[in-house]
Structure formats: C-alpha cells, structure tokens
Amino acid sequence: MIERFYLKEYLSFKEVAIEPKNGLVVFTGPSGSGKSILMNSILSSFGLASCEAALCEASVAWELDAQEHGIEEDDVYIFKHLKKEKSRYFINNQNISKKSLSLLASNYLKHFSLRDFSDFENENLLLILDSRIQKHSAEITKLLSEYRDVFLEHKKVKKELSIIEEEQKRVTELKEFAAFEIQKIRDVNPKVSEDEELLEIKKELSKKEKVLESITRANAIFEYEHSVVGTLELLGVDSSSFNDAMNELRAVMESAQERFEMLEDVNVEEVLNRLEVLSELKRRYGSIEDALRYKEQKIQELEKYENIEITKGDLELQEASLAKKVKEFSQKLTQLRHAEIGLFERDLNSYLNELYLRDAKVEIVRKELDVFGADEIVLKLHGTDLQKISTGEFNRLRLGVLALKSECMSKEGGVLMLDEIDANLSGEESMSVAKVLRALSKHFQIFVISHQPQLTSMGNQHFLVYKREGTSYVKELNLDERAEEVARIISGERITEEAKGFAKELLYLCQGENI
C-alpha cells in the first residue's frame, strides 16, 4: 500500500502531505479544485505520468525483489520524482530511469484511466480459472507443475533436435572442417610453455660466444687457488670459507660451460622457424593452451558428427515421449478448465449484474500449446469484442474480473487508481460500483475520485480537495465533515437540510454495514 504521499509546488498546490490507509480511499471536491492534478502527481512519483511538480514522493510497503532491480532492500521504499532543470527519479535515494521505475511500479499499481488489457490477457484469466479449480481440486496444482516441467523439457529437446537436423544437412562439410582444424594443430604439435623455452634458448644462443669467452678468461682464477690457500695457511687463517667459495664458483662455471656446449648442436634457424610457427598459432588461438583446448573441442565435435545418426535417433525417441506427455497433461488441464468455465462465467456475471452491465460470454478455445497449456479464454460483453465497448463498460468489466480474482487471493494485490469510475451512472448503478469497490478493498488499496454520494459514503477514508484564494489544499475528513461534503455533492454549494439528512442516512447505511 501507499503509506504516505508528499507533493510540493505543482500548479495550484504549494505543499501537500497525506497518509492514506488501507482499503477504499475517496477523494472529492468541487470541480477545478485539483483532484485529477493530485492523482496525476501520485502517478508521477512512480514514473507512470508526467508532471512539473518540484517533488512527488510516495512511501510504499511493497514486497519488492530489491536485488533484481539493483536497489537496497528495506521495509519501506520511497519512490520519488524530483524536478529541477530536468526530471529525475529515485527509489530510496538511488537514481533510476523513468522506464525502469514505471515497469517496476506497474506490477503493483493499476491505473484505470487508460484501456489496459492486461487484466484480460489469457495468462491472467487462466490464473483466475485455475485458482478457482484449485479450491476444490488439489490435482490441478500438481498437474500445472508437471505440465510446465514437461513442456519446457520438450521445448528444449525439440530445439536440440532441430540443431542436429540442421547439422545433419551439412555434416560432411562440418566433419571435414573439424578434421582439418584438428590436423592443423596436430601438425604443429605444440607443447605447453614450449614457446617460452625456445625464447630462452634463442636468448642464450645470442650471447653464447661472448659468455664462453668470458668463462675462459674467468677460469684463470683457479690457477692461483693453491697459492691463496698456502698463503692463508702461513698467515694462520682458516681457508675453509675460501675453499667453499671456490668450489661453488667452479660448479657455476662448469654448469654454464656444459649448458652452452650443449647448444653446439642446436640449429638457430630451426629455433627461429619454430618460434614463428608457434607465434602464428598464438595469433590465431590466443595461446598454446587455447589452441590445445580448441583441438580437443573439435575432436569432440568430430565424434558427435560421426555419431549424429545415433544422437538424432535418441532425441527423436525422447521428443516423441515428451510430446505424448505434454499432450496428455494439456488434455487433463483442458478437461478441468472446461468443467469450471461455466461457473467462472456465472460468478463473473453475478458481479457484472451488480455493476449494471450486460452479461459476458466466456468460452475456452484451443490454441497452440504454450507454457500455460492449449487453452485460450475468450471473453465478450454481450457478444461484443472488448475493443468495441465503451470506456465505462470496459472499466466496470475490469472491476468484475478483479473482483472474481480477489476471491482466490491470499495476499495484498497492490493499488488501484480510478478517476470518476462512477461518472454518468444512476444512483443505483453508482451504489453497485461502490459495493464492488468496497469488496475489492479487502485485497487492494483503492484511490478513487468521485462526484457521487454513494461511492463517497462507502469509502474507508475520505479526503477533501478544495481551493482557497487560488491555492489547492487536501484535508482528511472526520465523520461529521464527511456528512457535510456528501450533502454538498447531493445539493450543490447551497446545502439543504434535506440533503444533510440524506447524507447522514447514507453514511450510516454504508459505514454501519461495512465497519
């Protein structure tokens, strides 16, 4: 629900702060007082409308998937539209695009000013129908889960089979290409780190002559080793450290001598050519390791192509088995839905009769299989397509569908915003709309602008929007003030005693029955 709304500097409004409660929240006031402006500013805080307010801010208690939308998790989320030089949108002070904000909010808030067909989409109607079935048949819950799993698995296998069939059409070409790629790397026969070893050899070859000459000159030191030892003995100095150092130096020189002598048999041109071949391999594949991995991948592909007939046969058997299960499950779903659709239509029409609408015709037609089955619910109002009915009929039909849906709801359904849904209706019709909205308010927080006493009297909470000296204000009314406002709606600015009496009776009737 929306727990608080704050508006600053928007047309005739200077500053407004309201704290809506759960249930049916009614906004009334004289024409031109700013009711629609206020409603538009609330929508603007969720990115669902545009306005020039300095600030629109709504605090909501919605169970958002914060991680999915990249926002910090909190008990209360603050949606904000800030307008300075340009519009900026926030959730809990985290900047967010208007598009992302509106997409998120549209999951929790429905605005009845536009012809939104989402409530009549097949997925939503099937959800209502299946929820009704679930109340008397637990079988459908398991059936829906099994059908979905099998359908998705069948879809996956069909895709794999399609890929295999495409590959089979050009399997000879694919086999030749895989074999060619494998042989190309095998011909080089690279070893991991071989290029680094060759670079080191190349480096040592480049300084071989110079190092050997230096070693020969340095070896002269050993000619004086015996003399140094003798001198140390004459001086009475321990020569063991000197002997150790000379032995270590001799080992280094001999090792270096052997290493460079081993390079005598190395062909410099072969080393350079090998480095060039490996360099070309790395240029193409990224590294020697990548080239070897690519070779293994192509070996596996070649094995797959050589066994493609076996794989295809296995997939065909699997696809046929899954297709059979999909058909069986979808037929069971269809049977359950056909058994319920008549009751669905009856109960929907019960609400529509309360809303003074003609009966709706609801039927199930077969469609291409999808994740929801093979059933499509077609809904018409007295034989008329929904695209052709009036806006008033359309919105009341939406209310009827939502009322039917609310019977199976186990949690809050979000916020509904309605602007004069009872306009141009008779008193009886207005009361019928009010009763349906009051019933819906058990599951939805409903904001509604009304110019009718029936709906106004039915509200759980009543805000008066009024204008004084060009500035608009919003005030929450107590019961006595509500009676005064209802009387104004009945008789106009000159409130009669009869209007006051009728207003009190109407409020007592509506509030007494529903509190």
Side-chain angles (χ1 to χ4, degrees):
M1 61 175 285
I2 297 175
E3 297 183 335
R4 183 178 183 273
F5 176 72
Y6 178 77
L7 172 65
K8 185 176 181 180
E9 296 177 10
Y10 181 35
L11 297 177
S12 57
F13 289 94
K14 299 300 181 187
E15 189 173 39
V16 170
I18 61 173
E19 295 183 359
K21 298 175 183 175
N22 222 337
L24 182 57
V25 183
V26 180
F27 295 84
T28 67
S31 296
S33 59
K35 299 182 296 299
S36 294
I37 293 173
L38 179 63
M39 189 78 80
N40 188 72
S41 66
I42 295 173
L43 291 168
S44 180
S45 62
F46 299 101
L48 296 168
S50 298
C51 78
E52 297 298 315
L55 176 63
C56 304
E57 182 179 282
S59 302
V60 303
W62 291 341
E63 294 181 5
L64 304 182
D65 189 338
Q67 187 174 3
E68 179 184 348
H69 300 288
I71 56 178
E72 294 182 8
E73 190 170 350
D74 210 333
D75 293 332
V76 175
Y77 295 93
I78 299 174
F79 287 65
K80 187 185 301 182
H81 170 210
L82 187 65
K83 176 79 173 181
K84 287 186 179 179
E85 295 178 359
K86 63 179 183 178
S87 290
R88 299 176 67 194
Y89 297 87
F90 301 86
I91 297 180
N92 290 1
N93 294 321
Q94 290 181 245
N95 206 333
I96 188 171
S97 70
K98 181 180 181 181
K99 182 178 179 181
S100 298
L101 184 74
S102 61
L103 283 173
L104 190 159
S106 61
N107 293 319
Y108 302 88
L109 188 152
K110 294 177 182 289
H111 184 213
F112 273 58
S113 69
L114 302 174
R115 278 181 173 257
D116 180 0
F117 283 85
S118 61
D119 291 315
F120 302 110
E121 289 176 354
N122 191 52
E123 178 183 346
N124 185 59
L125 295 176
L126 282 176
L127 177 64
I128 299 172
L129 184 63
D130 292 341
S131 297
R132 289 171 59 90
I133 297 170
Q134 190 175 14
K135 291 172 71 174
H136 58 76
S137 174
E139 176 191 2
I140 193 169
T141 304
K142 180 182 178 183
L143 186 58
L144 284 166
S145 176
E146 289 176 336
Y147 171 79
R148 179 183 176 84
D149 290 344
V150 172
F151 176 84
L152 293 175
E153 182 64 21
H154 178 246
K155 185 177 179 181
K156 175 186 171 186
V157 170
K158 277 188 71 175
K159 184 177 180 181
E160 291 175 1
L161 185 57
S162 176
I163 293 171
I164 286 284
E165 288 171 343
E166 285 300 313
E167 288 178 343
Q168 191 177 32
K169 293 176 183 177
R170 51 193 184 95
V171 68
T172 302
E173 177 186 341
L174 291 170
K175 284 172 67 176
E176 289 177 354
F177 177 74
F180 174 76
E181 292 288 286
I182 293 166
Q183 193 58 46
K184 190 160 55 177
I185 298 173
R186 278 179 176 167
D187 288 343
V188 176
N189 193 24
K191 303 293 187 297
V192 175
S193 302
E194 180 186 359
D195 54 334
E196 296 173 7
E197 294 172 5
L198 288 174
L199 283 171
E200 186 62 30
I201 290 173
K202 178 186 174 184
K203 181 180 177 182
E204 292 191 338
L205 282 172
S206 66
K207 60 181 181 180
K208 173 186 167 187
E209 298 299 331
K210 188 175 181 180
V211 170
L212 287 175
E213 288 177 6
S214 182
I215 289 173
T216 300
R217 289 195 299 272
N219 278 337
I221 192 173
F222 298 113
E223 296 176 6
Y224 302 97
E225 182 180 1
H226 183 71
S227 298
V228 172
V229 171
T231 302
L232 290 172
E233 287 177 353
L234 289 172
L235 293 171
V237 177
D238 184 5
S239 63
S240 59
S241 295
F242 174 73
N243 290 332
D244 290 341
M246 291 302 291
N247 288 333
E248 185 177 345
L249 178 61
R250 186 178 290 105
V252 170
M253 293 297 188
E254 288 175 354
S255 175
Q257 184 83 27
E258 289 175 6
R259 189 171 74 253
F260 281 98
E261 285 177 353
M262 287 174 62
L263 294 177
E264 291 291 341
D265 298 328
V266 175
N267 188 312
V268 177
E269 189 174 344
E270 287 180 359
V271 170
L272 295 176
N273 289 340
R274 183 63 177 174
L275 279 171
E276 186 177 345
V277 169
L278 293 174
S279 177
E280 175 62 23
L281 198 72
K282 288 165 63 179
R283 185 192 65 77
R284 177 163 184 169
Y285 300 105
S287 68
I288 290 176
E289 291 87 344
D290 289 336
L292 292 171
R293 279 193 290 269
Y294 179 75
K295 183 186 74 171
E296 291 304 314
Q297 176 189 330
K298 288 300 171 185
I299 288 172
Q300 291 175 12
E301 286 182 13
L302 189 58
E303 290 174 355
K304 184 182 76 170
Y305 298 143
E306 289 171 346
N307 296 315
I308 197 166
E309 287 295 336
I310 298 173
T311 305
K312 181 185 175 186
D314 291 343
L315 282 173
E316 285 174 337
L317 290 173
Q318 191 178 357
E319 189 276 333
S321 175
L322 289 169
K324 183 180 179 182
K325 288 183 180 179
V326 168
K327 184 178 179 181
E328 289 173 355
F329 288 146
S330 69
Q331 286 175 343
K332 289 180 182 179
L333 280 174
T334 297
Q335 289 172 2
L336 289 172
R337 288 166 174 171
H338 272 287
E340 180 67 25
I341 198 67
L343 299 173
F344 179 100
E345 181 183 86
R346 181 200 68 187
D347 293 347
L348 175 60
N349 282 326
S350 176
Y351 284 112
L352 299 187
N353 290 335
E354 287 186 50
L355 294 166
Y356 286 84
L357 278 178
R358 298 167 295 170
D359 281 351
K361 179 66 177 175
V362 186
E363 61 180 341
I364 294 177
V365 299
R366 187 167 183 79
K367 65 170 181 60
E368 185 177 345
L369 280 166
D370 63 16
V371 74
F372 303 105
D375 308 310
E376 181 176 5
I377 297 180
V378 178
L379 192 158
K380 293 184 179 182
L381 189 61
H382 201 64
T384 304
D385 290 337
L386 302 188
Q387 290 85 353
K388 297 179 181 179
I389 63 177
S390 70
T391 300
E393 289 177 321
F394 183 85
N395 283 334
R396 278 184 284 160
L397 179 58
R398 285 181 71 185
L399 283 181
V401 169
L402 282 172
L404 196 64
K405 183 178 182 178
S406 69
E407 292 179 357
C408 302
M409 290 174 63
S410 59
K411 61 179 183 178
E412 295 300 315
V415 180
L416 305 180
M417 300 189 72
L418 306 96
D419 191 345
E420 299 186 40
I421 194 167
D422 57 351
N424 303 318
L425 299 181
S426 68
E428 286 185 339
E429 291 170 337
S430 180
M431 180 57 80
S432 70
V433 170
K435 287 179 178 178
V436 172
L437 285 176
R438 188 63 182 251
L440 275 172
S441 68
K442 295 176 183 177
H443 300 281
F444 297 88
Q445 184 186 40
I446 303 176
F447 289 11
V448 60
I449 294 174
S450 180
H451 288 288
Q452 296 276 28
Q454 291 81 5
L455 179 50
T456 301
S457 300
M458 195 67 79
N460 300 107
Q461 188 179 24
H462 186 167
F463 289 100
L464 173 66
V465 183
Y466 63 98
K467 188 177 284 187
R468 182 181 296 160
E469 296 180 356
T471 300
S472 292
Y473 301 89
V474 182
K475 178 185 179 182
E476 183 178 357
L477 303 183
N478 61 33
L479 195 59
D480 290 337
E481 291 168 331
R482 290 184 70 175
E484 189 77 12
E485 173 61 7
V486 172
R488 183 198 65 78
I489 292 172
I490 294 169
S491 64
E493 294 302 323
R494 297 185 63 180
I495 301 173
T496 64
E497 290 301 319
E498 292 82 355
K500 287 182 180 180
F502 182 72
K504 288 180 179 179
E505 289 180 11
L506 189 58
L507 271 169
Y508 177 79
L509 175 67
C510 292
Q511 298 301 315
E513 284 185 353
N514 292 284
I515 291 178

